[in-house]
Amino acid sequence: MRHGETEWNRQGRLQGRKNSPLTDLGRAQARQQGEILKQINGIEGFDAVCSPLGRAQETARIALSAVGKLPRLEPRVAEINAGDWEGQTFKEICGAPPKFHDKDLMRLFLTAPKGEGFDALRARCVEFLSDLEQPTIVVSHSVTLCMIRGLLRDLSRTEIEALDRPQGAVYEMSAGVETLWSSVSARV
């Protein structure tokens, strides 16, 4: 699950490892994720982990309380470090308001000067996944979750960059198959 909408999401700022509080919409998205989680069979046996960044912790607190889970903090699911571009708007980075598709925003994170980059993020996520011992709810961030989903589905870099990243939804992964829950009782 991706964290709910933040003030910086609304402003078009790259957050990376910096933090911004959830908006009212972001908290509503987290509540929706909690309702979705109630619909997933067997969730009572799942572990739960959360990025240590505030926006993910707040989302986890709201969403996971609906299913009686307390997540443990997991630094390996923190958002990618966006280097010199953290806190800047897309206009500041690109010189103009973005005129590109959402998948192109992902490339900004992956190519940021002094940022973590694709290979380092991939290595961190591979290590995290290899340590999982049971089904796990992961509350994280846009780019990191795309990497985790891509690894579980054996996708190429181009395919990972093109993945959607909605807020307020839940991705269920099982045996390399991804199911998007976009609302309560709505599997797509």
Side-chain angles (χ1 to χ4, degrees), residues 63-77:
L64 297 179
S65 68
V67 291
K69 296 281 183 189
L70 292 173
R72 60 183 166 81
L73 297 184
E74 174 52 75
R76 295 176 293 182
V77 300

Side-chain angles (χ1 to χ4, degrees), residues 14 29 32 72 129-130 171 181 186:
L14 267 71
Q29 290 167 333
Q32 176 175 296
R72 60 183 166 81
L129 290 171
S130 68
Y171 283 96
W181 293 71

Side-chain angles (χ1 to χ4, degrees), residues 80-86 108-118 120:
I80 190 171
N81 179 330
D84 290 345
W85 288 344
E86 288 190 2
L108 286 179
F109 283 98
L110 295 171
T111 60
K114 299 181 186 169
E116 185 172 5
F118 183 89

Side-chain angles (χ1 to χ4, degrees), residues 35-185:
E35 293 303 311
I36 292 169
L37 289 174
K38 288 179 182 178
Q39 305 300 310
I40 298 176
N41 291 329
I43 202 155
E44 57 280 348
F46 285 28
D47 191 11
V49 300
C50 175
S51 160
L53 300 174
R55 60 194 183 270
Q57 287 190 57
E58 184 176 0
T59 300
R61 249 190 326 275
I62 295 167
L64 297 179
S65 68
V67 291
K69 296 281 183 189
L70 292 173
R72 60 183 166 81
L73 297 184
E74 174 52 75
R76 295 176 293 182
V77 300
E79 183 59 298
I80 190 171
N81 179 330
D84 290 345
W85 288 344
E86 288 190 2
Q88 293 188 31
T89 65
F90 302 121
K91 181 177 180 179
E92 292 167 337
I93 295 166
C94 300
K99 293 181 181 177
F100 40 80
H101 295 92
D102 193 46
K103 66 180 180 182
D104 296 319
L105 297 177
M106 176 96 157
R107 288 191 198 112
L108 286 179
F109 283 98
L110 295 171
T111 60
K114 299 181 186 169
E116 185 172 5
F118 183 89
D119 292 336
L121 175 63
R122 184 181 190 287
R124 174 164 56 94
C125 291
V126 165
E127 180 185 341
F128 165 70
L129 290 171
S130 68
D131 286 346
L132 290 180
E133 296 178 357
Q134 67 188 81
T136 303
I137 301 167
V138 178
V139 182
S140 183
H141 307 270
S142 174
V143 179
T144 300
L145 285 172
C146 284
M147 181 63 74
I148 290 170
R149 291 167 49 213
L151 289 167
L152 291 171
R153 293 175 53 197
D154 197 29
L155 300 180
S156 69
R157 179 178 177 151
T158 302
E159 291 169 316
I160 290 170
E161 289 177 359
L163 289 172
D164 59 341
R165 301 177 313 279
Q167 291 167 307
V170 173
Y171 283 96
E172 181 181 6
M173 304 291 297
S174 180
V177 176
E178 178 177 282
T179 303
L180 170 64
W181 293 71
S182 58
S183 63
V184 177
S185 299

Side-chain angles (χ1 to χ4, degrees), residues 4-16:
E5 180 192 67
T6 68
E7 293 293 338
W8 279 17
N9 289 148
R10 187 176 281 167
Q11 295 168 15
R13 292 186 184 280
L14 267 71
Q15 292 177 104

